Each structure stands twice: as C-alpha cells, then as structure tokens.
Amino acid sequence: MSEELAGLTVGLIGAGNISRIHAESWKAVGARVLVYSLEGAEELAQRYGLEVVASLDELLAAVEFVDIVTPSATHKEITLAAIKAGKNVICEKPLTLTAADSHEVIDAAAAAGVRLYPAHVVRWFPAYKAAYDAIQAGRIGEVAVARFYRQASSPAGAGWYRDVARSGGVIMDLMVHDLDQARWLCGEVTTVYAVQNPPTVDGVSPVNVAAHVTLTHESGAISHCRATWGATGTTFQTGFSVAGSSGVLKFKSDGDTGYKEELQDGAAAGDLLIPESALGESPYLTQLRELAIGLRGGPEPRVLASDGATAVYLAEAARASMESGQPIDMKTFVSTGVVA
C-alpha cells in the first residue's frame, strides 16, 4: 500500500459484474474492503478476500468512504445515505439517471462537507488520456471534428438494463463514457442531436440497438458518438478519431497497436463486458487510487462530480432530442427529472 492510502478501509456497495474489478483494484492498493449487497456478497468476498457486512448502516459505520457499484437506478438513494452518514463517495457512472438528481446529490455532499467523485474510468485509459494531453499541448491545433464509438454485447437481454427507467438505455449506460470524452477533449457542448434505432417503446430498450449523438461545442468543433448494444457475443470495441487544424489523433481498440482489450472472467456469455489493458496497470486501479487520494485530501482527480452531472445532462438531452426529433439547445435545456 502506498503511504498516501495507509490504513484504508473501503465500503464496497454492490456485488454485480463491475464489482469484481473494483474489488480487485482495492485489494491491489492494500485496502481493507467491506462489502454489502442484497445478493452476491458472499461469493465476491470469498473470491477477493473481502469482509461481508449484514446491512448498509453497519458498513457506513465501519468504513472511511464508500464505492457504489450497484444498478444505476439505486445510485441516488445510496449516495444520499452515505452523505447523510458523513462519508465520502465514489460512485460508478452514471452518477444518477437524471441531471436534476445529480445536482441534488452534489448539493447534499457540499452541504455535508463530503466529497463525491463519479467513476468515469475512460479518462484513465491510456489512449484517451494521451489524446487529451496532445490536444491540451496544441499538437493537432484547433479541434474541428471528432468521432467516438463504443460497442458491447447487449446486457439488455436479461436483468435490469432493458428497463430504461432503471438503466437509462444504451446512451445513459454505455455512450455516457463517450459523451464525457467528447466534452473532455472538445470542450463544452452547445447543442445535442440524437437518433436511436430501433427506438425505445413503452420504456423498454431493444436488445440490439444503436444510438448516434451529434454534439456541437462552444469552440465550433463537432463531435459524433455512436454506441451499440449488439448481439450476444459481440466483441467489446471502442475507438476515436479527433481531427484538428494541424493533425489527427486516432485509436481503435481492435487495431494492431500493441494495446489489447481483454474481457473479464465470466463476461463472454453476454453479460456487460469490461475492457482491461493487457499492458501496464489496469485503468480501473489507476482511477480508484487517484480518486481515493483525492478523498483523503490529496490533489483533485481528473474527474469531479460536476463532470459526472454534465455527462448525465448530455445523455438526458440526447433522449429529449430523440423524443422531439429536434436538436436540443443546452443553454435552455432543463432536466425534467424523469428517466423514461
């Protein structure tokens, strides 16, 4: 364990698919990890050497801060409970399912004097961080056009993902990563236009679905994001192309770059796929270490609660655009607080 994180006790809330890599990462930094979940806690604890607690209150009383990895619709309630207990919070993306709820938890954290960080892990993936650094250094001049894509085997065939009121659908659940990247790399967003095929009907997401969102940025840059929940067995792939006035940055996870994407154990059967670098340190580990150091009063990490809220805001605007068939002006768009 690094000196900065000595004596760390983390409360992991949730034991689903993403919890595995969070548990592995916390153990890698030498933390003591307590886990609470309505189901799956015993199995997760046995696999990674965690300690199971019987209730959320018991966990909150015993840990320094919490790491929330539960289904998206529960993020707000659990985050508010942790804040009420005076605990700092790391919460998996999306921070909540509406921007109104995101601002509610941010305001609650500020009033309670606790920190809240969303786990937007793509900011820690080497290719995306390298692109950010290159743009900040002016290596490609003024950004003009950017494209981002992300595809995975659809998790919507089973479980809560197909219920848009619980998952937010493919844009909120999957594309939210690239909405955050588009803003991180290209700047603040002024308009959002979105389409999805097949459409969501009666709040139920199609199993196989693709969404396209076009963003106009304050700088004049235009970015396009594509997210696909594909047929079972669809390989996880992600990439980008960012063109500037004096150069282009490109990345494809399936390209022959020496950077390989692998799937976590048990993910190949159509569950949510979690990419991890086969070279160097896991971005999930790098992320959680940086967030934990921030929670202990160290430097602010590269993603803040406001960033998580803005990503949700953009996803919510995309849904509004799909419903109206019109671009959404982000200067006047107001979060309705309604998920589906």
Side-chain angles (χ1 to χ4, degrees):
M1 175 181 286
S2 67
E3 183 177 336
E4 296 161 301
L5 297 180
L8 179 62
T9 299
V10 177
L12 186 64
I13 304 173
N17 191 55
I18 193 68
S19 69
R20 298 196 288 269
I21 198 161
H22 279 243
E24 188 176 77
S25 298
W26 289 125
K27 296 301 288 187
V29 301
R32 177 190 176 208
V33 183
L34 277 58
V35 59
Y36 169 71
S37 181
L38 296 180
E39 54 186 60
E42 293 286 352
E43 179 184 356
L44 187 72
Q46 185 174 11
R47 182 171 182 178
Y48 293 104
L50 318 182
E51 301 171 44
V52 177
V53 295
S55 71
L56 180 59
D57 286 343
E58 182 182 344
L59 180 138
L60 292 173
V63 302
E64 183 174 327
F65 61 78
V66 300
D67 179 12
I68 300 170
V69 291
T70 55
S72 302
T74 66
H75 288 180
K76 176 186 174 182
E77 179 185 359
I78 297 171
T79 298
L80 289 175
I83 291 170
K84 185 176 180 180
K87 301 298 178 181
N88 292 329
V89 177
I90 293 171
C91 183
E92 254 301 334
K93 63 79 202 165
L95 182 57
T96 65
L97 287 178
T98 72
D101 284 348
S102 290
H103 288 295
E104 182 179 338
V105 298
I106 289 171
D107 290 346
V114 302
R115 291 184 173 90
L116 168 62
Y117 296 143
H120 275 271
V121 71
V122 177
R123 292 196 183 202
W124 281 266
F125 270 74
Y128 291 85
K129 179 58 164 62
Y132 174 80
D133 289 343
I135 291 167
Q136 293 300 305
R139 288 178 55 195
I140 64 168
E142 294 295 320
V143 174
V145 178
R147 296 181 182 274
F148 303 87
Y149 69 88
R150 190 166 302 268
Q151 69 175 47
S153 178
S154 178
W160 53 271
Y161 291 95
R162 202 171 182 194
D163 182 352
V164 173
R166 299 174 69 194
S167 71
V170 67
I171 291 177
M172 188 70 76
D173 186 75
L174 185 62
M175 189 191 287
V176 72
H177 284 299
D178 288 321
L179 295 175
D180 177 62
Q181 286 301 304
R183 175 175 168 259
W184 198 40
L185 299 182
C186 305
E188 298 299 336
V189 176
T190 57
T191 64
V192 175
Y193 178 71
V195 293
Q196 176 186 297
N197 189 43
T200 295
V201 178
D202 294 332
V204 178
S205 172
V207 174
N208 302 326
V209 60
H212 298 258
V213 175
T214 300
L215 308 173
T216 304
H217 299 265
E218 285 183 356
S219 64
I222 296 173
S223 60
H224 176 264
C225 299
R226 169 172 59 85
T228 306
W229 276 345
T232 298
T234 297
T235 58
F236 184 96
Q237 293 181 21
T238 179
F240 60 78
S241 171
V242 183
S245 56
S246 60
V248 180
L249 301 167
K250 291 184 178 181
F251 168 72
K252 292 176 62 177
S253 65
D254 60 338
D256 185 15
T257 61
Y259 182 78
K260 181 175 174 60
E261 298 289 301
E262 294 183 344
L263 306 182
Q264 297 300 298
D265 291 343
D271 200 352
L272 184 62
L273 305 183
I274 304 173
E276 182 181 23
S277 169
L279 301 174
E281 183 173 275
S282 162
Y284 294 88
L285 170 54
T286 312
Q287 170 195 229
L288 292 176
R289 181 194 294 113
E290 186 174 317
L291 295 180
I293 290 172
L295 292 180
R296 281 200 158 183
E300 286 277 54
R302 69 194 69 171
V303 66
L304 303 175
S306 57
D307 299 312
T310 301
V312 170
Y313 188 48
L314 294 173
E316 198 173 350
R319 183 174 64 249
S321 176
M322 288 190 297
E323 292 172 354
S324 68
Q326 300 296 318
I328 298 299
D329 183 345
M330 298 307 295
K331 293 180 180 178
T332 59
F333 178 66
V334 176
S335 172
T336 64
V338 178
V339 179

